[in-house]
Amino acid sequence: PPLADANSKAITQALRNTLKAGAPGAMTRYTGPNGTQTLTEGVRDRKTGAPMDPRARFRIGSVTKTFSSVVLLQLVAEGKVKLDAPVTSYLPGVLPDDRITVRHLLTHRSGLSDYTNAMFAKTVPGFEAVRNRVFTNKELVDRSLREPRTTEPGGAYRYSNTNFVLVGMVIEKVTKNPVAKEYEQRVIKPLKLKDTSYVHPATAIKGQHVRGYLHPDEDGAPLVDSTEQTVSWAQAAGAMISSEADLNTFMSALLRGKLLPSKTLNAMLTVVPADASGTRFYGLGLRRYDLSCGTSVYGHTGTVQGFYTYAFTTRDGKRTLSAMANTSNRGSANTALGGSLEAAFCGKQPA
Ligand SMILES: C[C@@H](NC(=O)[C@@H](C)NC(=O)CCCC[C@H](NC(=O)C[NH3+])C(=O)[O-])C(=O)O
């Protein structure tokens, strides 16, 4: 393939660091002015030894949140949802607090606790307990409501899957369609994302795909093949399946203004600090990372059992990178994979 203007040596180093940190495989797809470049390391299937394949599909975890945010923001642009209306005006009775608005959900400033912290306190037992379960959205929200709030509504950013479970509920209530249909009609079909689907609660990944391997909490314990699961514990917060090519198409189209009118896109890019680093921010269902070379990239990260994902693009949508590794519960591998952003967008060689 034509050499993109990415620094392939630096990206390869980031991928090798990811394998050293315990991922069976990892890969990137970079699209820039000089074309597209894919790089792979390791295997997509530990049993067969099949190599990591840039065309293979995988679970994208919270990158789903950006798809959900785009659908909801299209409804806002169509005048069907008001960002600053109380969530309870669309979902009466679901929350005991009328102060929580739709915007608070999209910016993780609702104060609603993240039920997954308790659900996955013990990584493998927690996963095994839910991998074949089907939850209603209400069951997930009620789990959160049994825990204390993390902040007043509109307070500081506090990441919580509960917020995007509620985003899915608002979408379904307002459109009277399942979220799968809204993703299909508003994003997947228009962008021809042939590898992207929302098949909850089916557990299989159709077509050629990467197998995911979950690290247990106990050091030295064997990896758990976590490929098949309903992801019903996440739904509009994390249950989507896609490919690196589709994620690049999606993030680039979003930032090029293909999915939202510019006023709504600008609202989506209005960020608050996501941590104390001064380089990581969160808008409406979208992260912004300010890289060391002065480039800001916009996108989302994803963590679902057995799969780490990064999908980011520049403000003009002209340089885009997807990176994934088929492991999780392994922070050092996630950090190493994240090094592919500095490598691709800044040409910075990871250590
Ligand atoms: C952080 C990430 N969020 C997501 O992608 C959402 C969908 N995933 C989670 O909240 C992690 C659930 C536990 C994963 C499990 N961890 C444990 O079980 C830890 N005890 C694992 O690592 O597979 C994001 O927004 O970037």
Side-chain angles (χ1 to χ4, degrees):
L3 259 192
D5 53 9
N7 181 324
S8 51
K9 205 163 73 59
I11 296 175
T12 298
Q13 188 55 53
L15 294 177
R16 289 190 179 147
N17 291 349
T18 306
L19 267 64
K20 270 201 291 263
M27 61 180 171
T28 54
R29 181 185 179 94
Y30 176 87
T31 301
N34 304 340
T36 290
Q37 176 187 56
T38 60
L39 292 166
T40 60
E41 292 288 333
V43 296
R44 70 173 190 273
D45 183 324
R46 293 180 76 228
K47 209 178 286 157
T48 66
M52 190 52 94
D53 183 324
R55 291 160 308 171
R57 296 164 181 173
F58 52 93
R59 297 191 188 283
I60 64 172
S62 284
V63 182
T64 307
K65 291 181 169 76
T66 307
F67 284 82
S68 301
S69 187
V70 164
V71 169
L72 187 55
L73 288 173
Q74 286 188 354
L75 295 170
V76 170
E78 293 159 16
K80 295 171 187 158
V81 171
K82 293 205 174 330
L83 270 178
D84 295 314
V87 174
T88 47
S89 66
Y90 301 104
L91 302 170
V94 169
L95 293 177
D97 190 336
D98 295 344
R99 296 173 301 160
I100 295 172
T101 66
V102 172
R103 193 191 300 270
H104 291 154
L105 300 181
L106 292 169
T107 56
H108 291 297
R109 298 177 66 197
S110 69
L112 294 167
S113 78
D114 189 339
Y115 56 85
T116 67
N117 295 326
M119 186 181 273
F120 299 121
K122 293 192 176 63
T123 301
V124 172
F127 170 63
E128 295 294 359
V130 303
R131 70 181 297 174
N132 291 308
R133 271 194 66 176
V134 180
F135 294 97
T136 65
N137 284 311
K138 195 167 177 337
E139 277 177 289
L140 300 174
V141 174
D142 288 346
R143 280 173 177 245
S144 168
L145 294 176
R146 289 201 288 270
E147 297 173 356
R149 301 286 182 70
T150 58
T151 173
E152 285 302 295
Y157 167 90
R158 293 270 190 285
Y159 184 89
S160 172
N161 286 298
T162 313
N163 293 320
F164 278 79
V165 168
L166 283 159
V167 165
M169 293 171 80
V170 172
I171 291 170
E172 297 198 333
K173 183 69 180 297
V174 168
T175 64
K176 299 186 179 38
N177 285 327
V179 284
K181 186 161 184 217
E182 293 298 316
Y183 294 135
E184 188 67 32
Q185 282 177 328
R186 293 171 176 274
V187 183
I188 294 171
K189 259 207 199 85
L191 295 183
K192 300 186 178 53
L193 304 180
K194 59 179 180 19
D195 296 324
T196 302
S197 63
Y198 182 90
V199 295
H200 169 269
T203 58
I205 304 176
K206 280 196 291 290
Q208 173 151 343
H209 58 277
V210 178
R211 298 201 68 78
Y213 301 93
L214 177 62
H215 271 93
D217 295 328
E218 300 74 19
D219 277 350
L223 293 180
V224 172
D225 185 327
S226 56
T227 311
E228 280 77 30
Q229 68 157 307
T230 60
V231 205
S232 198
W233 59 269
Q235 298 190 48
M240 208 164 244
I241 290 162
S242 190
S243 67
E244 292 198 327
D246 280 6
L247 290 183
N248 282 8
T249 301
F250 170 63
M251 288 298 177
S252 177
L254 174 59
L255 273 291
R256 289 169 191 259
K258 302 272 185 284
L259 292 170
L260 294 171
S262 57
K263 188 164 107 15
T264 317
L265 177 60
N266 288 334
M268 188 182 200
L269 304 183
T270 306
V271 297
V272 294
D275 61 20
S277 69
T279 61
R280 302 208 159 171
F281 303 87
Y282 205 91
L284 276 58
L286 196 68
R287 293 186 186 281
R288 186 186 100 196
Y289 286 177
D290 291 356
L291 302 177
S292 67
C293 52
T295 301
S296 293
V297 289
Y298 300 79
H300 217 289
T301 48
T303 302
V304 55
Q305 286 84 358
F307 299 94
Y308 283 135
T309 305
Y310 288 79
F312 284 82
T313 190
T314 45
R315 178 63 189 82
D316 62 6
K318 291 199 175 117
R319 297 192 293 149
T320 312
L321 177 82
S322 287
M324 76 79 63
N326 58 348
T327 197
S328 69
N329 195 37
R330 192 64 163 216
S332 55
N334 194 13
T335 304
L337 185 66
S340 61
L341 271 67
E342 284 281 349
F345 291 107
C346 298
K348 192 168 161 204
Q349 177 82 11

